[in-house]
Each structure stands twice: as structure tokens, then as C-alpha cells.
Amino acid sequence: TTFERQKKKLPAGILKKILFEFAAKENSFAFVGYRDGQPISTVFCVYDNQTAYYLVGGYDEKNAHHGAGAACMHAAIIKSKSFT
């Protein structure tokens, strides 16, 4: 994963709490990039009434496409702009 590649650790349970206890369709969104039907990149954001926050994202190192992550991020920016 991206965290492993960067030798970073996410405190145990934090991401799980965000994804399964806090995030809802009313305050979060994700975009996934696919190649040949397989997910290769993703962006996950939460938002409030003023700001969208990019929390986590990543890509499949073995099947990476250099534009997939950027395309997901671009989609997230466009979605975020729709809230204003």
C-alpha cells in the first residue's frame, strides 16, 4: 500500500472508524480509477459545509497507470467545487 511504500503507519483503528462510523453518503465521497476492470487508484474525501478534505488515497503499484491517481484527484476537485 501507499503507507507501506512510504514507511508510514496509520494508528490502528483510525481509518476503520472514519470509513465505517463517521463517513456517510451525506459527508463523504470516493473516486476509483479502473484499468481493464480492475481498480488501480482511489481518492477518499470527507466534507462539511465549507471544505472538502482529502483523507486517503492510493494506487496499485503493480498495475499503476500514471494518470489514474491524477484523474481521481481531478474528479474529487470537481465534486468539491459543486458544493459551493
Side-chain angles (χ1 to χ4, degrees):
T1 67
T2 300
F3 282 102
E4 291 167 343
R5 281 192 303 275
Q6 295 178 1
K7 298 187 180 4
K8 294 184 179 186
K9 293 185 180 186
L10 187 63
I14 296 270
L15 187 57
K16 184 177 178 181
K17 283 186 172 283
I18 291 169
L19 292 174
F20 298 106
E21 295 178 26
F22 174 75
K25 65 181 179 178
E26 297 83 16
N27 70 353
S28 63
F29 58 87
F31 287 96
V32 178
Y34 292 89
R35 183 180 205 177
D36 299 325
Q38 296 296 315
I40 59 170
S41 64
T42 189
V43 168
F44 176 77
C45 301
V46 296
Y47 63 92
D48 60 22
N49 59 352
Q50 295 180 339
T51 307
Y53 303 90
Y54 168 74
L55 293 186
V56 67
Y59 64 94
D60 178 347
E61 187 174 322
K62 293 177 184 170
N63 297 307
H65 179 278
H66 294 291
C72 287
M73 187 63 72
H74 182 258
I77 291 167
I78 298 300
K79 172 93 173 168
S80 298
K81 290 182 71 151
S82 74
F83 301 140
T84 59

